[in-house]
């Protein structure tokens, strides 16, 4: 019985592997089922089937009815349950994140103040690579209970906004300032024309009016580089028109 059970189990797992490989490669399509779910779903079903097979095989294992075997089984079960509490929590969180579509490999995300690109997503942990090429490993339970900001979700379709702020004196008309900022955005490589850039007035300060230029980019991974280029364009534009940027707390030009 045990030999037959093992053979049937191997055949079943092999058929499941072939089926989910076809789903992942798009040869088989399932309604409302993302191809990226194929691999984790296979692993989850494999775990359930193997566990069920072990339960079925237990009474047929030689010596399983002896008191010694039962004692060892109970001891192993207690040790496993105590040692795997955190692991199981991370595993459940990993599957929850997968089916929630919180992020995928290649997305730029922010987790607990850490901004990075998802390089690998496992059942226990998720790996992030920061812009300084640091690897940050985050437990999935932390991700599930924390706040995740995904910069890549709408970037390709609707654009991701990057912003640059500048404080300009009250003597410069606000219409002129907005025109200069929009001109700087138009000259910046990587900034989308649609949706168009726009300017917000953040506040009327003691020394200046604070303006915020918002422009959209299609590549979330390049957003920091494009924001830097946008900031340089803003500096060049104000210098070209002879307009002084008056923050922080500008009072007078050096003598």
């Amino acid at each position: 019985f045990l030999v037959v059970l093992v053979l049937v189990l191997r055949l079943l797992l092999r058929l499941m592997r072939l089926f989910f490989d076809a789903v992942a490669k798009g040869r088989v399509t399932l309604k409302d089922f993302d191809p990226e779910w194929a691999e984790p779903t296979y692993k989850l079903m494999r775990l359930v089937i193997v566990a069920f097979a072990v339960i079925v095989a237990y009474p047929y294992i030689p010596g399983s009815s002896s008191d010694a075997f039962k004692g060892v089984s109970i001891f192993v079960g207690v040790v496993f349950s105590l040692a795997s509490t955190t692991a199981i929590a991370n595993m459940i969180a990993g599957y929850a994140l997968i089916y929630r579509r919180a992020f995928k490999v290649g997305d730029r995300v922010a987790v607990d103040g850490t901004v990075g690109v998802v390089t690998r997503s496992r059942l226990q942990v998720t790996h992030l690579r920061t812009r300084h090429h640091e690897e940050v490993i985050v437990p999935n339970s932390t991700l599930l209970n924390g706040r995740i900001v995904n910069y890549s979700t709408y970037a390709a379709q609707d654009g991701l906004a990057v912003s640059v702020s500048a404080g300009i004196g009250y003597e410069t008309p606000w219409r002129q300032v907005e025109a200069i900022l929009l001109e700087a955005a138009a000259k910046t490589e990587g900034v989308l024309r649609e949706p168009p850039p726009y300017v917000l007035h953040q506040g009327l300060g003691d020394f200046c009016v604070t303006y915020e230029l918002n422009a959209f980019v299609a590549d979330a991974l390049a957003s920091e580089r494009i924001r830097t280029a946008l900031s340089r364009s803003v500096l060049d534009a104000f210098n070209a028109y002879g307009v002084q940027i008056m923050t922080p707390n500008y009072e007078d030009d050096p003598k």
Side-chain angles (χ1 to χ4, degrees), residues 30-206:
L30 301 176
K31 185 179 180 181
D32 298 328
F33 189 89
D34 196 317
E36 295 180 358
W37 295 350
E39 182 67 21
T41 303
Y42 165 73
K43 292 180 179 179
L44 180 62
M45 294 187 64
R46 180 182 62 182
L47 178 63
V48 172
I49 291 175
V50 171
F52 178 76
V54 170
I55 294 173
V56 173
Y58 181 83
Y60 296 92
I61 300 176
S64 61
S65 59
S66 65
D67 293 336
F69 193 93
K70 293 179 180 179
V72 172
S73 301
I74 293 174
F75 175 75
V76 172
V78 171
V79 172
F80 178 79
S81 63
L82 293 177
S84 62
T85 302
T86 303
I88 292 176
N90 285 326
M91 186 179 299
I92 294 174
Y95 276 108
L97 290 171
I98 290 172
Y99 291 112
R100 285 184 181 182
R101 299 181 181 179
F103 53 79
K104 63 180 181 295
V105 174
D107 284 355
R108 183 170 179 264
V109 299
V111 179
D112 290 338
T114 300
V115 179
V117 179
V118 179
T119 58
R120 191 183 309 173
S121 182
R122 296 183 172 180
L123 290 181
Q124 296 286 338
V125 296
T126 297
H127 297 252
L128 303 179
R129 186 184 70 245
T130 68
R131 63 179 179 177
H132 301 295
H133 286 198
E134 304 164 331
E135 184 180 43
V136 180
I137 301 175
V138 185
N140 286 334
S141 58
T142 302
L143 293 175
L144 185 63
N145 297 323
R147 178 173 175 264
I148 303 173
V149 179
N150 193 329
Y151 299 101
S152 301
T153 302
Y154 301 111
Q157 179 179 355
D158 302 321
L160 173 68
V162 295
S163 61
V164 173
S165 297
I168 308 300
Y170 284 93
E171 71 278 2
T172 306
W174 64 265
R175 292 180 178 84
Q176 179 184 359
V177 175
E178 289 193 6
I180 293 174
L181 290 172
L182 294 177
E183 180 181 329
K187 293 181 178 180
T188 304
E189 183 179 357
V191 171
L192 298 176
R193 299 297 176 260
E194 290 293 335
Y198 63 91
V199 178
L200 295 178
H201 291 210
Q202 291 186 321
L204 305 178
D206 295 332

